[in-house]
Amino acid sequence: MGEVKTPRQWFLWSIALVYVCAFASIYVQIPGLYGDEGILPVRLQMPKVQRPLLEQESLLGLGPSLGLAPQQVLELTCLVGVALALCAVLLEPLRDSLIYFCLRVLYLSVYNVGGDFLHSEWDVLLLEAGLLAVLVAPLGLLRRHSSYRYHDTVSFWLTRWLFFRLTFCTGVSKLASGDPAWYDLSALSHHLENQMNPTPLAWYVHQLPDWLLRFGAVVVLQSEIIVPLVTFFAPIRRLRLFGFYVQVCCLFLQLCYILTGNCSLLNLLSITLSFSLLDDDHFNSNTGPKKKKGCGQTLVSYLLQLVELAVYLFILYCFISLFKLQINWEEKTLSSKTNFTQKGFHAFLEVFQDLTIWIGVLSFTWEAVSAMLTCVCTRGIVSKLWSLVQWALITAAAAAVFALSVVPYTSMAGMSVSKVLPAVRDAYSAVERYQLVGAYGIQHRMTSAEGRPEIILEGSYDGLTWTEMNPMYKPGNVNAVPPIVGPHQPRLEWLMWQKAQGGDDTSPWFTGLLQRLLQGKPEVIGLLQVDKAQYPFSQKAPVFIKANLYNYHFTDPTKDKTHLQAWWRRQYKREFFPIVNLDDPKLKKLLEEFTIKPATCIGKGNRVLMIDLKHHLIRDHVKGLSGSLLLSTLLATVAGIFLLKAVFSWVSGGPKPRPALADHKTRKPKEPSETAEKSQVAAPSNRGGKKDSNEKKDSDRSPRKRK
């Protein structure tokens, strides 16, 4: 693989942008989720006995020594994370390893005290991608310029391995779990309804013909299983580019996910990791004259093209044979049906479990050896030794991360972790709390054909007349337009969506939610509705509350003729939580272990008071804003800054050329004709003729000075 300077910068910039979205999204939800009047106060997650600094799992443990409450430390952590990430997005010199290390420490601190609200797949993925950003980013913050590193391809390879694990495990989990909707290819139609936050476009896509949606399911399975296997680690550059465009552009896989299911952090991280399939040659257009190839190079080029063509034909063969694709020319439709069983797919996994790992080992070894040979060819003994030392350290760290990632990779459905070396498993257990690597695809849920289950909360003053509490970010009122949420991640709605698909009603966070709604706490009400006019109990809290479970379906214009008035139709399924009030014995029993005690008053110094006042000033500005509006405004501001920079750069005549970096590259000696031409051009601009003649004589006498 060639140089990766440009894809590396894209990766680092995108990771910083994801950090901005993640920290800002959590910050706006902290009062309702973790505040003293929130669902699960963060102070209840803190250990009762203060631990030493090195044994702290979160920076929130430093709160007592600073005179700050846990909620204040959590909010300050998110604010510092937003500020650091924004600086990395806007300023290229700050995309440094130290900055990304600080960002990961901050997010890990929030993750460790976040409880169920932050234990999602995209949080684990962000922590692992953040670790890779620490290894990929240059360590040049304390220096003026960061030199080119020959081991960049080694550390950047880890992002490709992570992208492969994420894509391949996501596809494998659909079939390895035995989900019948994926075996009969009806899953895409149900997925449009059952995904976390469907958009209005999902309703229109759901109205497409059934045969087209089935073909879409075939495309998804092929793009997530077959294409990564044959393209992500291919030695042929065009095959890797094909894999990139399949995932991002060509088949609009990630684009379709974003347009129909809102832009989540998982989609942004998937696009960020896909840059690992690119190299600098993809961005640099060579407009110079092409060199003539010899007979040997021409033969190798033809052989590579034949191999590339064979891979494309293999992918097409899998399309046709594995899914029995047949075109009906009379009806102008395309029929598809799986041509394998669950038992056969598990046999496929048993073979490819070891194969994919060994492919990764060979690909990593190739990159490491290539980088080592490049270091050996560096001119100068000191530069050569320094490059080899850097290469050894980064390669050892990358090999350790790769070995640790094998453990969660083999834990996906249908694979066996027993084949991993015991020493590797022990090392993974020792560092598991730091979330260095994660498992993906193991949270796959069966795609229900019965519709989208939703928990609907209802309140009442007398126990007879009930009014629904329709949330902002999930289906409630059947006439409400599906909301545009992304890239904001509403944590409460996410947990309610998961609980509706098979959870019980005894979770502490759900019990805390009912209690806070009965108490009328504005922090928690703000999680459901920012607009008080949309919340029926904004003036007075309800006396009674209950929860029912409904199945939601997108309306079908050809059947129920209600598409002009309603987006959804629903059916009552069962009672999810019985009628309770604040004095109900059942509610008190459930809250017994999670009793919210009054917050203790903490003495504050003058410096702490200044921090507290500035923090309250920021909180007052964002109070009353929805998370989606806040993040949209923040991203629009970032886009506006880049637009202004581009306009100023265009007005000033383009960016000024930067001085050459000390990259220790071997430079070719200039031809005498080129030197003579440059000296003739530069002669009129020099004021001292003697100086020019002396320089010209020196250049003629000493060719070494021209190198």
Side-chain angles (χ1 to χ4, degrees), residues 93-108:
L94 293 183
R95 294 170 204 157
D96 188 82
S97 183
L98 291 177
I99 297 295
Y100 287 101
F101 176 77
C102 294
L103 288 172
R104 193 185 187 278
V105 170
L106 293 173
Y107 201 78
L108 182 62

Side-chain angles (χ1 to χ4, degrees), residues 570-605:
R570 70 181 188 181
Q571 295 176 345
Y572 176 81
K573 188 174 182 181
R574 63 180 176 87
E575 181 185 72
F576 187 82
F577 200 92
I579 301 174
V580 292
N581 57 19
L582 286 175
D583 297 327
D584 191 278
K586 180 180 180 179
L587 184 63
K588 289 184 177 181
K589 183 179 179 181
L590 291 174
L591 289 170
E592 188 174 0
E593 297 182 2
F594 308 100
T595 302
I596 302 177
K597 300 178 181 180
T600 56
C601 182
I602 301 177
K604 302 178 182 180

